PDB file of all heavy atoms in Angstrom:
ATOM      1  N   LYS B  11     -21.982 -38.403  -1.743  1.00 97.00           N
ATOM      2  CA  LYS B  11     -21.824 -38.807  -0.349  1.00 97.00           C
ATOM      3  C   LYS B  11     -22.415 -37.739   0.547  1.00 97.00           C
ATOM      4  O   LYS B  11     -22.205 -36.531   0.316  1.00 97.00           O
ATOM      5  CB  LYS B  11     -20.359 -39.025   0.004  1.00 97.00           C
ATOM      6  CG  LYS B  11     -20.174 -39.583   1.416  1.00 97.00           C
ATOM      7  CD  LYS B  11     -18.778 -40.045   1.670  1.00 97.00           C
ATOM      8  CE  LYS B  11     -18.643 -40.628   3.070  1.00 97.00           C
ATOM      9  NZ  LYS B  11     -19.408 -41.882   3.222  1.00 97.00           N
ATOM     10  N   THR B  13     -22.421 -36.873   4.623  1.00 97.00           N
ATOM     11  CA  THR B  13     -21.737 -37.238   5.847  1.00 97.00           C
ATOM     12  C   THR B  13     -22.022 -36.195   6.911  1.00 97.00           C
ATOM     13  O   THR B  13     -22.515 -35.109   6.611  1.00 97.00           O
ATOM     14  CB  THR B  13     -20.219 -37.375   5.619  1.00 97.00           C
ATOM     15  OG1 THR B  13     -19.607 -37.978   6.750  1.00 97.00           O
ATOM     16  CG2 THR B  13     -19.582 -36.009   5.381  1.00 97.00           C
ATOM     17  N   GLU B  14     -21.661 -36.517   8.137  1.00 97.00           N
ATOM     18  CA  GLU B  14     -21.930 -35.596   9.245  1.00 97.00           C
ATOM     19  C   GLU B  14     -20.669 -34.802   9.600  1.00 97.00           C
ATOM     20  O   GLU B  14     -19.539 -35.281   9.429  1.00 97.00           O
ATOM     21  CB  GLU B  14     -22.428 -36.370  10.462  1.00 97.00           C
ATOM     22  CG  GLU B  14     -23.794 -37.008  10.253  1.00 97.00           C
ATOM     23  CD  GLU B  14     -24.315 -37.673  11.510  1.00 97.00           C
ATOM     24  OE1 GLU B  14     -23.518 -37.841  12.464  1.00 97.00           O
ATOM     25  OE2 GLU B  14     -25.510 -38.032  11.543  1.00 97.00           O
ATOM     26  N   THR B  15     -20.902 -33.635  10.112  1.00 97.00           N
ATOM     27  CA  THR B  15     -19.794 -32.800  10.569  1.00 97.00           C
ATOM     28  C   THR B  15     -18.919 -33.557  11.563  1.00 97.00           C
ATOM     29  O   THR B  15     -19.429 -34.242  12.456  1.00 97.00           O
ATOM     30  CB  THR B  15     -20.353 -31.530  11.239  1.00 97.00           C
ATOM     31  OG1 THR B  15     -21.070 -30.767  10.269  1.00 97.00           O
ATOM     32  CG2 THR B  15     -19.222 -30.663  11.781  1.00 97.00           C
ATOM     33  N   GLY B  16     -17.609 -33.443  11.366  1.00 97.00           N
ATOM     34  CA  GLY B  16     -16.666 -34.061  12.287  1.00 97.00           C
ATOM     35  C   GLY B  16     -16.180 -35.439  11.877  1.00 97.00           C
ATOM     36  O   GLY B  16     -15.223 -35.949  12.467  1.00 97.00           O
ATOM     37  N   THR B  17     -16.810 -36.042  10.886  1.00 97.00           N
ATOM     38  CA  THR B  17     -16.383 -37.374  10.460  1.00 97.00           C
ATOM     39  C   THR B  17     -15.307 -37.263   9.384  1.00 97.00           C
ATOM     40  O   THR B  17     -15.298 -36.311   8.604  1.00 97.00           O
ATOM     41  CB  THR B  17     -17.560 -38.194   9.917  1.00 97.00           C
ATOM     42  OG1 THR B  17     -18.117 -37.501   8.791  1.00 97.00           O
ATOM     43  CG2 THR B  17     -18.628 -38.370  10.971  1.00 97.00           C
ATOM     44  N   PRO B  18     -14.401 -38.231   9.328  1.00 96.00           N
ATOM     45  CA  PRO B  18     -13.415 -38.239   8.239  1.00 96.00           C
ATOM     46  C   PRO B  18     -14.049 -38.794   6.964  1.00 96.00           C
ATOM     47  O   PRO B  18     -14.928 -39.662   7.023  1.00 96.00           O
ATOM     48  CB  PRO B  18     -12.320 -39.167   8.768  1.00 96.00           C
ATOM     49  CG  PRO B  18     -13.023 -40.059   9.728  1.00 96.00           C
ATOM     50  CD  PRO B  18     -14.156 -39.283  10.314  1.00 96.00           C
ATOM     51  N   VAL B  19     -13.589 -38.280   5.841  1.00 97.00           N
ATOM     52  CA  VAL B  19     -14.114 -38.708   4.545  1.00 97.00           C
ATOM     53  C   VAL B  19     -12.939 -38.877   3.596  1.00 97.00           C
ATOM     54  O   VAL B  19     -12.033 -38.032   3.570  1.00 97.00           O
ATOM     55  CB  VAL B  19     -15.077 -37.658   3.956  1.00 97.00           C
ATOM     56  CG1 VAL B  19     -15.539 -38.070   2.562  1.00 97.00           C
ATOM     57  CG2 VAL B  19     -16.269 -37.436   4.873  1.00 97.00           C
ATOM     58  N   THR B  20     -12.955 -39.943   2.813  1.00 98.00           N
ATOM     59  CA  THR B  20     -11.924 -40.143   1.787  1.00 98.00           C
ATOM     60  C   THR B  20     -12.574 -40.305   0.434  1.00 98.00           C
ATOM     61  O   THR B  20     -13.487 -41.116   0.266  1.00 98.00           O
ATOM     62  CB  THR B  20     -11.060 -41.368   2.100  1.00 98.00           C
ATOM     63  OG1 THR B  20     -10.321 -41.122   3.313  1.00 98.00           O
ATOM     64  CG2 THR B  20     -10.056 -41.615   0.973  1.00 98.00           C
ATOM     65  N   LEU B  21     -12.100 -39.515  -0.520  1.00 98.00           N
ATOM     66  CA  LEU B  21     -12.532 -39.599  -1.915  1.00 98.00           C
ATOM     67  C   LEU B  21     -11.395 -40.211  -2.722  1.00 98.00           C
ATOM     68  O   LEU B  21     -10.231 -39.909  -2.497  1.00 98.00           O
ATOM     69  CB  LEU B  21     -12.884 -38.216  -2.452  1.00 98.00           C
ATOM     70  CG  LEU B  21     -13.853 -37.371  -1.623  1.00 98.00           C
ATOM     71  CD1 LEU B  21     -14.157 -36.064  -2.351  1.00 98.00           C
ATOM     72  CD2 LEU B  21     -15.131 -38.126  -1.311  1.00 98.00           C
ATOM     73  N   ARG B  36     -11.994 -28.318  -6.058  1.00 97.00           N
ATOM     74  CA  ARG B  36     -13.377 -28.192  -5.631  1.00 97.00           C
ATOM     75  C   ARG B  36     -14.025 -27.085  -6.453  1.00 97.00           C
ATOM     76  O   ARG B  36     -13.359 -26.125  -6.885  1.00 97.00           O
ATOM     77  CB  ARG B  36     -13.507 -27.911  -4.132  1.00 97.00           C
ATOM     78  CG  ARG B  36     -12.854 -26.664  -3.636  1.00 97.00           C
ATOM     79  CD  ARG B  36     -13.075 -26.481  -2.130  1.00 97.00           C
ATOM     80  NE  ARG B  36     -14.473 -26.147  -1.818  1.00 97.00           N
ATOM     81  CZ  ARG B  36     -14.960 -26.037  -0.597  1.00 97.00           C
ATOM     82  NH1 ARG B  36     -14.166 -26.237   0.459  1.00 97.00           N
ATOM     83  NH2 ARG B  36     -16.236 -25.728  -0.404  1.00 97.00           N
ATOM     84  N   SER B  61      -5.922 -25.749   0.615  1.00 96.00           N
ATOM     85  CA  SER B  61      -5.557 -27.058   1.141  1.00 96.00           C
ATOM     86  C   SER B  61      -5.910 -27.272   2.618  1.00 96.00           C
ATOM     87  O   SER B  61      -5.871 -28.410   3.090  1.00 96.00           O
ATOM     88  CB  SER B  61      -4.055 -27.281   0.945  1.00 96.00           C
ATOM     89  OG  SER B  61      -3.331 -26.261   1.620  1.00 96.00           O
ATOM     90  N   ASP B  62      -6.244 -26.209   3.339  1.00 96.00           N
ATOM     91  CA  ASP B  62      -6.530 -26.376   4.767  1.00 96.00           C
ATOM     92  C   ASP B  62      -7.696 -27.324   4.987  1.00 96.00           C
ATOM     93  O   ASP B  62      -8.771 -27.173   4.396  1.00 96.00           O
ATOM     94  CB  ASP B  62      -6.852 -25.014   5.401  1.00 96.00           C
ATOM     95  CG  ASP B  62      -5.623 -24.160   5.567  1.00 96.00           C
ATOM     96  OD1 ASP B  62      -4.508 -24.688   5.382  1.00 96.00           O
ATOM     97  OD2 ASP B  62      -5.769 -22.967   5.872  1.00 96.00           O
ATOM     98  N   GLY B  63      -7.483 -28.318   5.874  1.00 96.00           N
ATOM     99  CA  GLY B  63      -8.530 -29.275   6.191  1.00 96.00           C
ATOM    100  C   GLY B  63      -8.539 -30.497   5.289  1.00 96.00           C
ATOM    101  O   GLY B  63      -9.364 -31.394   5.472  1.00 96.00           O
ATOM    102  N   TYR B  64      -7.621 -30.531   4.335  1.00 98.00           N
ATOM    103  CA  TYR B  64      -7.523 -31.643   3.389  1.00 98.00           C
ATOM    104  C   TYR B  64      -6.119 -32.240   3.414  1.00 98.00           C
ATOM    105  O   TYR B  64      -5.132 -31.521   3.585  1.00 98.00           O
ATOM    106  CB  TYR B  64      -7.795 -31.182   1.959  1.00 98.00           C
ATOM    107  CG  TYR B  64      -9.131 -30.555   1.704  1.00 98.00           C
ATOM    108  CD1 TYR B  64      -9.291 -29.171   1.769  1.00 98.00           C
ATOM    109  CD2 TYR B  64     -10.244 -31.320   1.365  1.00 98.00           C
ATOM    110  CE1 TYR B  64     -10.504 -28.576   1.514  1.00 98.00           C
ATOM    111  CE2 TYR B  64     -11.471 -30.732   1.102  1.00 98.00           C
ATOM    112  CZ  TYR B  64     -11.586 -29.359   1.177  1.00 98.00           C
ATOM    113  OH  TYR B  64     -12.795 -28.762   0.921  1.00 98.00           O
ATOM    114  N   SER B  65      -6.041 -33.539   3.191  1.00 97.00           N
ATOM    115  CA  SER B  65      -4.754 -34.189   2.963  1.00 97.00           C
ATOM    116  C   SER B  65      -4.908 -35.140   1.783  1.00 97.00           C
ATOM    117  O   SER B  65      -6.032 -35.509   1.409  1.00 97.00           O
ATOM    118  CB  SER B  65      -4.291 -34.941   4.207  1.00 97.00           C
ATOM    119  OG  SER B  65      -5.199 -35.981   4.535  1.00 97.00           O
ATOM    120  N   VAL B  66      -3.792 -35.519   1.189  1.00 98.00           N
ATOM    121  CA  VAL B  66      -3.815 -36.408   0.028  1.00 98.00           C
ATOM    122  C   VAL B  66      -2.738 -37.466   0.177  1.00 98.00           C
ATOM    123  O   VAL B  66      -1.783 -37.317   0.945  1.00 98.00           O
ATOM    124  CB  VAL B  66      -3.605 -35.641  -1.296  1.00 98.00           C
ATOM    125  CG1 VAL B  66      -4.792 -34.758  -1.638  1.00 98.00           C
ATOM    126  CG2 VAL B  66      -2.311 -34.844  -1.255  1.00 98.00           C
ATOM    127  N   LEU B  76      -8.082 -38.213  -1.635  1.00 98.00           N
ATOM    128  CA  LEU B  76      -8.291 -36.947  -0.938  1.00 98.00           C
ATOM    129  C   LEU B  76      -9.030 -37.246   0.356  1.00 98.00           C
ATOM    130  O   LEU B  76     -10.095 -37.862   0.330  1.00 98.00           O
ATOM    131  CB  LEU B  76      -9.119 -35.987  -1.793  1.00 98.00           C
ATOM    132  CG  LEU B  76      -9.495 -34.660  -1.145  1.00 98.00           C
ATOM    133  CD1 LEU B  76      -8.266 -33.760  -1.006  1.00 98.00           C
ATOM    134  CD2 LEU B  76     -10.582 -33.943  -1.956  1.00 98.00           C
ATOM    135  N   THR B  77      -8.466 -36.808   1.483  1.00 98.00           N
ATOM    136  CA  THR B  77      -9.087 -37.049   2.786  1.00 98.00           C
ATOM    137  C   THR B  77      -9.441 -35.739   3.465  1.00 98.00           C
ATOM    138  O   THR B  77      -8.600 -34.827   3.534  1.00 98.00           O
ATOM    139  CB  THR B  77      -8.150 -37.862   3.696  1.00 98.00           C
ATOM    140  OG1 THR B  77      -7.918 -39.150   3.097  1.00 98.00           O
ATOM    141  CG2 THR B  77      -8.764 -38.071   5.073  1.00 98.00           C
ATOM    142  N   LEU B  78     -10.686 -35.678   3.901  1.00 97.00           N
ATOM    143  CA  LEU B  78     -11.127 -34.593   4.757  1.00 97.00           C
ATOM    144  C   LEU B  78     -10.990 -35.116   6.182  1.00 97.00           C
ATOM    145  O   LEU B  78     -11.678 -36.056   6.582  1.00 97.00           O
ATOM    146  CB  LEU B  78     -12.580 -34.211   4.463  1.00 97.00           C
ATOM    147  CG  LEU B  78     -12.881 -33.483   3.168  1.00 97.00           C
ATOM    148  CD1 LEU B  78     -12.581 -34.309   1.932  1.00 97.00           C
ATOM    149  CD2 LEU B  78     -14.330 -33.004   3.162  1.00 97.00           C
ATOM    150  N   GLU B  79     -10.079 -34.546   6.933  1.00 93.00           N
ATOM    151  CA  GLU B  79      -9.726 -35.101   8.246  1.00 93.00           C
ATOM    152  C   GLU B  79     -10.928 -35.096   9.191  1.00 93.00           C
ATOM    153  O   GLU B  79     -11.161 -36.045   9.928  1.00 93.00           O
ATOM    154  CB  GLU B  79      -8.582 -34.299   8.849  1.00 93.00           C
ATOM    155  CG  GLU B  79      -7.358 -34.137   7.948  1.00 93.00           C
ATOM    156  CD  GLU B  79      -6.578 -35.440   7.777  1.00 93.00           C
ATOM    157  OE1 GLU B  79      -6.835 -36.395   8.520  1.00 93.00           O
ATOM    158  OE2 GLU B  79      -5.706 -35.481   6.893  1.00 93.00           O
ATOM    159  N   SER B  80     -11.658 -33.983   9.166  1.00 96.00           N
ATOM    160  CA  SER B  80     -12.832 -33.824  10.021  1.00 96.00           C
ATOM    161  C   SER B  80     -13.778 -32.888   9.269  1.00 96.00           C
ATOM    162  O   SER B  80     -13.604 -31.679   9.284  1.00 96.00           O
ATOM    163  CB  SER B  80     -12.425 -33.220  11.369  1.00 96.00           C
ATOM    164  OG  SER B  80     -13.568 -32.975  12.172  1.00 96.00           O
ATOM    165  N   ALA B  81     -14.729 -33.485   8.595  1.00 97.00           N
ATOM    166  CA  ALA B  81     -15.539 -32.723   7.646  1.00 97.00           C
ATOM    167  C   ALA B  81     -16.299 -31.573   8.314  1.00 97.00           C
ATOM    168  O   ALA B  81     -16.826 -31.711   9.432  1.00 97.00           O
ATOM    169  CB  ALA B  81     -16.514 -33.653   6.939  1.00 97.00           C
ATOM    170  N   THR B  82     -16.370 -30.464   7.611  1.00 97.00           N
ATOM    171  CA  THR B  82     -17.145 -29.307   8.064  1.00 97.00           C
ATOM    172  C   THR B  82     -18.139 -28.915   6.974  1.00 97.00           C
ATOM    173  O   THR B  82     -17.965 -29.282   5.795  1.00 97.00           O
ATOM    174  CB  THR B  82     -16.239 -28.107   8.359  1.00 97.00           C
ATOM    175  OG1 THR B  82     -15.681 -27.636   7.134  1.00 97.00           O
ATOM    176  CG2 THR B  82     -15.120 -28.474   9.327  1.00 97.00           C
ATOM    177  N   SER B  83     -19.143 -28.155   7.349  1.00 97.00           N
ATOM    178  CA  SER B  83     -20.169 -27.777   6.366  1.00 97.00           C
ATOM    179  C   SER B  83     -19.583 -26.948   5.228  1.00 97.00           C
ATOM    180  O   SER B  83     -20.102 -26.974   4.105  1.00 97.00           O
ATOM    181  CB  SER B  83     -21.294 -27.004   7.058  1.00 97.00           C
ATOM    182  OG  SER B  83     -20.781 -25.846   7.696  1.00 97.00           O
ATOM    183  N   SER B  84     -18.494 -26.227   5.494  1.00 97.00           N
ATOM    184  CA  SER B  84     -17.871 -25.424   4.436  1.00 97.00           C
ATOM    185  C   SER B  84     -17.189 -26.285   3.373  1.00 97.00           C
ATOM    186  O   SER B  84     -16.783 -25.759   2.323  1.00 97.00           O
ATOM    187  CB  SER B  84     -16.841 -24.466   5.046  1.00 97.00           C
ATOM    188  OG  SER B  84     -15.771 -25.188   5.626  1.00 97.00           O
ATOM    189  N   GLN B  85     -17.062 -27.562   3.646  1.00 98.00           N
ATOM    190  CA  GLN B  85     -16.471 -28.476   2.661  1.00 98.00           C
ATOM    191  C   GLN B  85     -17.536 -29.155   1.797  1.00 98.00           C
ATOM    192  O   GLN B  85     -17.205 -30.001   0.959  1.00 98.00           O
ATOM    193  CB  GLN B  85     -15.590 -29.510   3.367  1.00 98.00           C
ATOM    194  CG  GLN B  85     -14.359 -28.878   4.010  1.00 98.00           C
ATOM    195  CD  GLN B  85     -13.536 -29.847   4.806  1.00 98.00           C
ATOM    196  OE1 GLN B  85     -14.056 -30.619   5.619  1.00 98.00           O
ATOM    197  NE2 GLN B  85     -12.219 -29.827   4.598  1.00 98.00           N
ATOM    198  N   THR B  86     -18.774 -28.796   1.993  1.00 98.00           N
ATOM    199  CA  THR B  86     -19.828 -29.213   1.069  1.00 98.00           C
ATOM    200  C   THR B  86     -19.517 -28.612  -0.293  1.00 98.00           C
ATOM    201  O   THR B  86     -19.369 -27.394  -0.417  1.00 98.00           O
ATOM    202  CB  THR B  86     -21.201 -28.741   1.557  1.00 98.00           C
ATOM    203  OG1 THR B  86     -21.537 -29.450   2.746  1.00 98.00           O
ATOM    204  CG2 THR B  86     -22.265 -28.974   0.487  1.00 98.00           C
ATOM    205  N   TYR B  89     -16.355 -32.136  -5.938  1.00 98.00           N
ATOM    206  CA  TYR B  89     -14.916 -32.363  -6.029  1.00 98.00           C
ATOM    207  C   TYR B  89     -14.580 -33.049  -7.343  1.00 98.00           C
ATOM    208  O   TYR B  89     -15.184 -34.048  -7.705  1.00 98.00           O
ATOM    209  CB  TYR B  89     -14.445 -33.220  -4.852  1.00 98.00           C
ATOM    210  CG  TYR B  89     -14.538 -32.488  -3.541  1.00 98.00           C
ATOM    211  CD1 TYR B  89     -15.726 -32.469  -2.812  1.00 98.00           C
ATOM    212  CD2 TYR B  89     -13.446 -31.784  -3.039  1.00 98.00           C
ATOM    213  CE1 TYR B  89     -15.827 -31.764  -1.621  1.00 98.00           C
ATOM    214  CE2 TYR B  89     -13.523 -31.085  -1.843  1.00 98.00           C
ATOM    215  CZ  TYR B  89     -14.725 -31.077  -1.143  1.00 98.00           C
ATOM    216  OH  TYR B  89     -14.822 -30.379   0.038  1.00 98.00           O
ATOM    217  N   LEU B 111     -20.294 -33.926  -2.517  1.00 98.00           N
ATOM    218  CA  LEU B 111     -20.196 -34.189  -1.083  1.00 98.00           C
ATOM    219  C   LEU B 111     -21.054 -33.193  -0.324  1.00 98.00           C
ATOM    220  O   LEU B 111     -20.935 -31.976  -0.519  1.00 98.00           O
ATOM    221  CB  LEU B 111     -18.742 -34.071  -0.609  1.00 98.00           C
ATOM    222  CG  LEU B 111     -18.521 -34.235   0.894  1.00 98.00           C
ATOM    223  CD1 LEU B 111     -18.834 -35.664   1.320  1.00 98.00           C
ATOM    224  CD2 LEU B 111     -17.098 -33.853   1.270  1.00 98.00           C
ATOM    225  N   THR B 112     -21.890 -33.708   0.537  1.00 98.00           N
ATOM    226  CA  THR B 112     -22.712 -32.873   1.405  1.00 98.00           C
ATOM    227  C   THR B 112     -22.351 -33.181   2.852  1.00 98.00           C
ATOM    228  O   THR B 112     -22.399 -34.340   3.268  1.00 98.00           O
ATOM    229  CB  THR B 112     -24.204 -33.124   1.175  1.00 98.00           C
ATOM    230  OG1 THR B 112     -24.512 -32.882  -0.202  1.00 98.00           O
ATOM    231  CG2 THR B 112     -25.060 -32.236   2.062  1.00 98.00           C
ATOM    232  N   VAL B 113     -22.005 -32.153   3.600  1.00 98.00           N
ATOM    233  CA  VAL B 113     -21.672 -32.313   5.017  1.00 98.00           C
ATOM    234  C   VAL B 113     -22.785 -31.661   5.829  1.00 98.00           C
ATOM    235  O   VAL B 113     -23.027 -30.455   5.720  1.00 98.00           O
ATOM    236  CB  VAL B 113     -20.326 -31.672   5.359  1.00 98.00           C
ATOM    237  CG1 VAL B 113     -19.978 -31.929   6.824  1.00 98.00           C
ATOM    238  CG2 VAL B 113     -19.220 -32.200   4.447  1.00 98.00           C
ATOM    239  N   THR B 114     -23.472 -32.486   6.624  1.00 96.00           N
ATOM    240  CA  THR B 114     -24.637 -31.978   7.377  1.00 96.00           C
ATOM    241  C   THR B 114     -24.288 -31.668   8.829  1.00 96.00           C
ATOM    242  O   THR B 114     -23.244 -32.112   9.337  1.00 96.00           O
ATOM    243  CB  THR B 114     -25.776 -33.005   7.343  1.00 96.00           C
ATOM    244  OG1 THR B 114     -25.312 -34.208   7.976  1.00 96.00           O
ATOM    245  CG2 THR B 114     -26.201 -33.305   5.917  1.00 96.00           C
TER     246      THR B 114
END
Side-chain angles (χ1 to χ4, degrees):
Chain B
K11 186 169 182 67
T13 191
E14 293 185 348
T15 296
T17 60
V19 176
T20 295
L21 309 184
R36 60 179 290 175
S61 59
D62 286 349
Y64 301 94
S65 63
V66 291
L76 176 71
T77 297
L78 288 64
E79 307 289 348
S80 176
T82 68
S83 58
S84 65
Q85 293 175 312
T86 292
Y89 292 85
L111 176 67
T112 303
V113 183
T114 62

